[in-house]
Amino acid sequence: MNPSPDLIPMLKQLRLSGILDSIEQRNRQAIEGKFSYMDFLAMILQDEVARRSQKRFSLALRRASFRSQKTLEDFDFTCMPNMNRAMLTDLASCRFIEEKVCVLIVGPCGTGNYVKLSIM
């Protein structure tokens, strides 16, 4: 099913053309799941918000001009055997922010050497 021909120019005028990427799939989901109009509208708007958020994030990464992207999954723990892997993974979850716990990371500046990590 293609969106109504009247819908496309309106979405573009409102700068919501990203909705066109998911509207067919979401329409099928709504029909199969017998969603209300409000639930359908919420779904397609959530898709648009997520798309814009991802686009902003991608733009910020490009503007940052990082030489390479690093993730915690790519981190080589074998070169730093003293590092507490469980604690680092816990820190990556950002749970300490919700719990309002102080985190102190201490080490020589700019060397990449890890000295001490403590949660207070």
PDB file of all heavy atoms in Angstrom, residues 43-63:
ATOM      1  N   MET A  43       2.998   5.733  17.093  1.00  0.00           N
ATOM      2  CA  MET A  43       4.062   4.891  16.523  1.00  0.00           C
ATOM      3  C   MET A  43       4.831   5.614  15.433  1.00  0.00           C
ATOM      4  O   MET A  43       6.065   5.604  15.422  1.00  0.00           O
ATOM      5  CB  MET A  43       3.470   3.604  15.929  1.00  0.00           C
ATOM      6  CG  MET A  43       3.381   2.464  16.878  1.00  0.00           C
ATOM      7  SD  MET A  43       3.061   0.883  16.072  1.00  0.00           S
ATOM      8  CE  MET A  43       1.916   1.233  14.787  1.00  0.00           C
ATOM      9  N   ILE A  44       4.115   6.238  14.508  1.00  0.00           N
ATOM     10  CA  ILE A  44       4.840   6.878  13.407  1.00  0.00           C
ATOM     11  C   ILE A  44       5.591   8.122  13.881  1.00  0.00           C
ATOM     12  O   ILE A  44       6.667   8.429  13.375  1.00  0.00           O
ATOM     13  CB  ILE A  44       3.928   7.183  12.190  1.00  0.00           C
ATOM     14  CG1 ILE A  44       2.797   8.123  12.547  1.00  0.00           C
ATOM     15  CG2 ILE A  44       3.412   5.916  11.548  1.00  0.00           C
ATOM     16  CD1 ILE A  44       1.985   8.600  11.360  1.00  0.00           C
ATOM     17  N   LEU A  45       5.064   8.793  14.884  1.00  0.00           N
ATOM     18  CA  LEU A  45       5.789   9.943  15.428  1.00  0.00           C
ATOM     19  C   LEU A  45       7.020   9.499  16.217  1.00  0.00           C
ATOM     20  O   LEU A  45       8.065  10.158  16.161  1.00  0.00           O
ATOM     21  CB  LEU A  45       4.865  10.809  16.285  1.00  0.00           C
ATOM     22  CG  LEU A  45       3.783  11.568  15.512  1.00  0.00           C
ATOM     23  CD1 LEU A  45       2.888  12.339  16.466  1.00  0.00           C
ATOM     24  CD2 LEU A  45       4.389  12.487  14.463  1.00  0.00           C
ATOM     25  N   GLN A  46       6.919   8.376  16.920  1.00  0.00           N
ATOM     26  CA  GLN A  46       8.099   7.838  17.623  1.00  0.00           C
ATOM     27  C   GLN A  46       9.180   7.474  16.623  1.00  0.00           C
ATOM     28  O   GLN A  46      10.371   7.701  16.864  1.00  0.00           O
ATOM     29  CB  GLN A  46       7.714   6.612  18.451  1.00  0.00           C
ATOM     30  CG  GLN A  46       6.976   6.940  19.714  1.00  0.00           C
ATOM     31  CD  GLN A  46       6.421   5.692  20.406  1.00  0.00           C
ATOM     32  OE1 GLN A  46       6.462   4.584  19.868  1.00  0.00           O
ATOM     33  NE2 GLN A  46       5.886   5.883  21.598  1.00  0.00           N
ATOM     34  N   ASP A  47       8.775   6.908  15.486  1.00  0.00           N
ATOM     35  CA  ASP A  47       9.747   6.581  14.439  1.00  0.00           C
ATOM     36  C   ASP A  47      10.452   7.838  13.944  1.00  0.00           C
ATOM     37  O   ASP A  47      11.667   7.847  13.745  1.00  0.00           O
ATOM     38  CB  ASP A  47       9.062   5.890  13.255  1.00  0.00           C
ATOM     39  CG  ASP A  47       8.595   4.483  13.575  1.00  0.00           C
ATOM     40  OD1 ASP A  47       9.020   3.921  14.601  1.00  0.00           O
ATOM     41  OD2 ASP A  47       7.795   3.941  12.779  1.00  0.00           O
ATOM     42  N   GLU A  48       9.697   8.910  13.754  1.00  0.00           N
ATOM     43  CA  GLU A  48      10.275  10.164  13.269  1.00  0.00           C
ATOM     44  C   GLU A  48      11.224  10.762  14.302  1.00  0.00           C
ATOM     45  O   GLU A  48      12.317  11.230  13.959  1.00  0.00           O
ATOM     46  CB  GLU A  48       9.161  11.163  12.911  1.00  0.00           C
ATOM     47  CG  GLU A  48       9.643  12.487  12.393  1.00  0.00           C
ATOM     48  CD  GLU A  48      10.315  12.430  11.031  1.00  0.00           C
ATOM     49  OE1 GLU A  48      10.263  11.385  10.357  1.00  0.00           O
ATOM     50  OE2 GLU A  48      10.909  13.450  10.636  1.00  0.00           O
ATOM     51  N   VAL A  49      10.831  10.736  15.560  1.00  0.00           N
ATOM     52  CA  VAL A  49      11.696  11.256  16.624  1.00  0.00           C
ATOM     53  C   VAL A  49      12.994  10.445  16.682  1.00  0.00           C
ATOM     54  O   VAL A  49      14.093  11.013  16.783  1.00  0.00           O
ATOM     55  CB  VAL A  49      10.959  11.242  17.988  1.00  0.00           C
ATOM     56  CG1 VAL A  49      11.916  11.475  19.136  1.00  0.00           C
ATOM     57  CG2 VAL A  49       9.845  12.275  17.993  1.00  0.00           C
ATOM     58  N   ALA A  50      12.893   9.123  16.603  1.00  0.00           N
ATOM     59  CA  ALA A  50      14.080   8.262  16.638  1.00  0.00           C
ATOM     60  C   ALA A  50      14.972   8.527  15.426  1.00  0.00           C
ATOM     61  O   ALA A  50      16.199   8.584  15.545  1.00  0.00           O
ATOM     62  CB  ALA A  50      13.667   6.797  16.690  1.00  0.00           C
ATOM     63  N   ARG A  51      14.366   8.710  14.251  1.00  0.00           N
ATOM     64  CA  ARG A  51      15.128   8.972  13.036  1.00  0.00           C
ATOM     65  C   ARG A  51      15.885  10.292  13.155  1.00  0.00           C
ATOM     66  O   ARG A  51      17.072  10.381  12.844  1.00  0.00           O
ATOM     67  CB  ARG A  51      14.195   9.019  11.823  1.00  0.00           C
ATOM     68  CG  ARG A  51      14.914   9.164  10.489  1.00  0.00           C
ATOM     69  CD  ARG A  51      13.944   9.413   9.349  1.00  0.00           C
ATOM     70  NE  ARG A  51      13.311  10.714   9.429  1.00  0.00           N
ATOM     71  CZ  ARG A  51      13.892  11.862   9.049  1.00  0.00           C
ATOM     72  NH1 ARG A  51      15.112  11.867   8.586  1.00  0.00           N
ATOM     73  NH2 ARG A  51      13.248  13.010   9.142  1.00  0.00           N
ATOM     74  N   ARG A  52      15.219  11.311  13.680  1.00  0.00           N
ATOM     75  CA  ARG A  52      15.878  12.618  13.831  1.00  0.00           C
ATOM     76  C   ARG A  52      16.990  12.566  14.879  1.00  0.00           C
ATOM     77  O   ARG A  52      18.045  13.183  14.705  1.00  0.00           O
ATOM     78  CB  ARG A  52      14.856  13.682  14.216  1.00  0.00           C
ATOM     79  CG  ARG A  52      13.948  14.047  13.074  1.00  0.00           C
ATOM     80  CD  ARG A  52      12.977  15.112  13.462  1.00  0.00           C
ATOM     81  NE  ARG A  52      12.078  15.412  12.364  1.00  0.00           N
ATOM     82  CZ  ARG A  52      11.397  16.533  12.248  1.00  0.00           C
ATOM     83  NH1 ARG A  52      11.499  17.468  13.177  1.00  0.00           N
ATOM     84  NH2 ARG A  52      10.591  16.725  11.232  1.00  0.00           N
ATOM     85  N   SER A  53      16.749  11.838  15.941  1.00  0.00           N
ATOM     86  CA  SER A  53      17.767  11.698  16.981  1.00  0.00           C
ATOM     87  C   SER A  53      19.002  10.995  16.422  1.00  0.00           C
ATOM     88  O   SER A  53      20.135  11.413  16.668  1.00  0.00           O
ATOM     89  CB  SER A  53      17.185  10.914  18.159  1.00  0.00           C
ATOM     90  OG  SER A  53      18.149  10.715  19.139  1.00  0.00           O
ATOM     91  N   GLN A  54      18.778   9.928  15.655  1.00  0.00           N
ATOM     92  CA  GLN A  54      19.894   9.195  15.048  1.00  0.00           C
ATOM     93  C   GLN A  54      20.636  10.083  14.055  1.00  0.00           C
ATOM     94  O   GLN A  54      21.865  10.065  13.983  1.00  0.00           O
ATOM     95  CB  GLN A  54      19.381   7.934  14.353  1.00  0.00           C
ATOM     96  CG  GLN A  54      20.468   7.089  13.731  1.00  0.00           C
ATOM     97  CD  GLN A  54      21.506   6.621  14.725  1.00  0.00           C
ATOM     98  OE1 GLN A  54      21.193   6.204  15.823  1.00  0.00           O
ATOM     99  NE2 GLN A  54      22.766   6.688  14.345  1.00  0.00           N
ATOM    100  N   LYS A  55      19.897  10.877  13.303  1.00  0.00           N
ATOM    101  CA  LYS A  55      20.511  11.782  12.327  1.00  0.00           C
ATOM    102  C   LYS A  55      21.370  12.835  13.028  1.00  0.00           C
ATOM    103  O   LYS A  55      22.484  13.138  12.586  1.00  0.00           O
ATOM    104  CB  LYS A  55      19.408  12.454  11.496  1.00  0.00           C
ATOM    105  CG  LYS A  55      19.905  13.208  10.309  1.00  0.00           C
ATOM    106  CD  LYS A  55      18.736  13.712   9.476  1.00  0.00           C
ATOM    107  CE  LYS A  55      19.222  14.487   8.283  1.00  0.00           C
ATOM    108  NZ  LYS A  55      18.111  14.988   7.462  1.00  0.00           N
ATOM    109  N   ARG A  56      20.854  13.388  14.154  1.00  0.00           N
ATOM    110  CA  ARG A  56      21.631  14.366  14.930  1.00  0.00           C
ATOM    111  C   ARG A  56      22.906  13.734  15.481  1.00  0.00           C
ATOM    112  O   ARG A  56      23.979  14.346  15.454  1.00  0.00           O
ATOM    113  CB  ARG A  56      20.788  14.899  16.093  1.00  0.00           C
ATOM    114  CG  ARG A  56      20.241  16.265  15.888  1.00  0.00           C
ATOM    115  CD  ARG A  56      19.621  16.894  17.123  1.00  0.00           C
ATOM    116  NE  ARG A  56      18.888  16.014  17.998  1.00  0.00           N
ATOM    117  CZ  ARG A  56      17.605  15.680  17.849  1.00  0.00           C
ATOM    118  NH1 ARG A  56      16.913  16.140  16.837  1.00  0.00           N
ATOM    119  NH2 ARG A  56      17.014  14.877  18.701  1.00  0.00           N
ATOM    120  N   PHE A  57      22.783  12.508  15.980  1.00  0.00           N
ATOM    121  CA  PHE A  57      23.950  11.807  16.530  1.00  0.00           C
ATOM    122  C   PHE A  57      24.988  11.552  15.444  1.00  0.00           C
ATOM    123  O   PHE A  57      26.182  11.790  15.648  1.00  0.00           O
ATOM    124  CB  PHE A  57      23.504  10.495  17.180  1.00  0.00           C
ATOM    125  CG  PHE A  57      24.614   9.704  17.784  1.00  0.00           C
ATOM    126  CD1 PHE A  57      25.238  10.129  18.943  1.00  0.00           C
ATOM    127  CD2 PHE A  57      25.064   8.539  17.183  1.00  0.00           C
ATOM    128  CE1 PHE A  57      26.275   9.411  19.508  1.00  0.00           C
ATOM    129  CE2 PHE A  57      26.100   7.808  17.734  1.00  0.00           C
ATOM    130  CZ  PHE A  57      26.706   8.242  18.896  1.00  0.00           C
ATOM    131  N   SER A  58      24.532  11.096  14.280  1.00  0.00           N
ATOM    132  CA  SER A  58      25.460  10.838  13.171  1.00  0.00           C
ATOM    133  C   SER A  58      26.156  12.111  12.735  1.00  0.00           C
ATOM    134  O   SER A  58      27.364  12.110  12.456  1.00  0.00           O
ATOM    135  CB  SER A  58      24.717  10.226  11.986  1.00  0.00           C
ATOM    136  OG  SER A  58      24.182   8.988  12.330  1.00  0.00           O
ATOM    137  N   LEU A  59      25.426  13.212  12.688  1.00  0.00           N
ATOM    138  CA  LEU A  59      26.006  14.499  12.309  1.00  0.00           C
ATOM    139  C   LEU A  59      27.053  14.945  13.335  1.00  0.00           C
ATOM    140  O   LEU A  59      28.140  15.413  12.974  1.00  0.00           O
ATOM    141  CB  LEU A  59      24.915  15.560  12.171  1.00  0.00           C
ATOM    142  CG  LEU A  59      25.373  16.959  11.784  1.00  0.00           C
ATOM    143  CD1 LEU A  59      26.032  16.956  10.408  1.00  0.00           C
ATOM    144  CD2 LEU A  59      24.200  17.921  11.817  1.00  0.00           C
ATOM    145  N   ALA A  60      26.745  14.766  14.616  1.00  0.00           N
ATOM    146  CA  ALA A  60      27.695  15.133  15.669  1.00  0.00           C
ATOM    147  C   ALA A  60      28.964  14.299  15.565  1.00  0.00           C
ATOM    148  O   ALA A  60      30.077  14.818  15.739  1.00  0.00           O
ATOM    149  CB  ALA A  60      27.055  14.960  17.043  1.00  0.00           C
ATOM    150  N   LEU A  61      28.822  13.012  15.259  1.00  0.00           N
ATOM    151  CA  LEU A  61      30.006  12.159  15.088  1.00  0.00           C
ATOM    152  C   LEU A  61      30.853  12.620  13.904  1.00  0.00           C
ATOM    153  O   LEU A  61      32.081  12.657  13.988  1.00  0.00           O
ATOM    154  CB  LEU A  61      29.594  10.703  14.881  1.00  0.00           C
ATOM    155  CG  LEU A  61      29.277   9.892  16.116  1.00  0.00           C
ATOM    156  CD1 LEU A  61      28.852   8.471  15.737  1.00  0.00           C
ATOM    157  CD2 LEU A  61      30.461   9.832  17.067  1.00  0.00           C
ATOM    158  N   ARG A  62      30.180  12.954  12.797  1.00  0.00           N
ATOM    159  CA  ARG A  62      30.931  13.431  11.629  1.00  0.00           C
ATOM    160  C   ARG A  62      31.655  14.741  11.938  1.00  0.00           C
ATOM    161  O   ARG A  62      32.812  14.926  11.569  1.00  0.00           O
ATOM    162  CB  ARG A  62      29.989  13.635  10.440  1.00  0.00           C
ATOM    163  CG  ARG A  62      29.825  12.425   9.577  1.00  0.00           C
ATOM    164  CD  ARG A  62      29.245  12.734   8.211  1.00  0.00           C
ATOM    165  NE  ARG A  62      28.119  13.649   8.176  1.00  0.00           N
ATOM    166  CZ  ARG A  62      26.857  13.320   8.412  1.00  0.00           C
ATOM    167  NH1 ARG A  62      26.552  12.085   8.726  1.00  0.00           N
ATOM    168  NH2 ARG A  62      25.898  14.222   8.341  1.00  0.00           N
ATOM    169  N   ARG A  63      30.972  15.654  12.623  1.00  0.00           N
ATOM    170  CA  ARG A  63      31.585  16.942  12.948  1.00  0.00           C
ATOM    171  C   ARG A  63      32.736  16.799  13.930  1.00  0.00           C
ATOM    172  O   ARG A  63      33.663  17.608  13.930  1.00  0.00           O
ATOM    173  CB  ARG A  63      30.543  17.890  13.524  1.00  0.00           C
ATOM    174  CG  ARG A  63      29.618  18.447  12.491  1.00  0.00           C
ATOM    175  CD  ARG A  63      28.660  19.431  13.088  1.00  0.00           C
ATOM    176  NE  ARG A  63      27.831  20.035  12.055  1.00  0.00           N
ATOM    177  CZ  ARG A  63      26.733  20.709  12.305  1.00  0.00           C
ATOM    178  NH1 ARG A  63      26.328  20.894  13.544  1.00  0.00           N
ATOM    179  NH2 ARG A  63      26.032  21.215  11.327  1.00  0.00           N
TER     180      ARG A  63
END
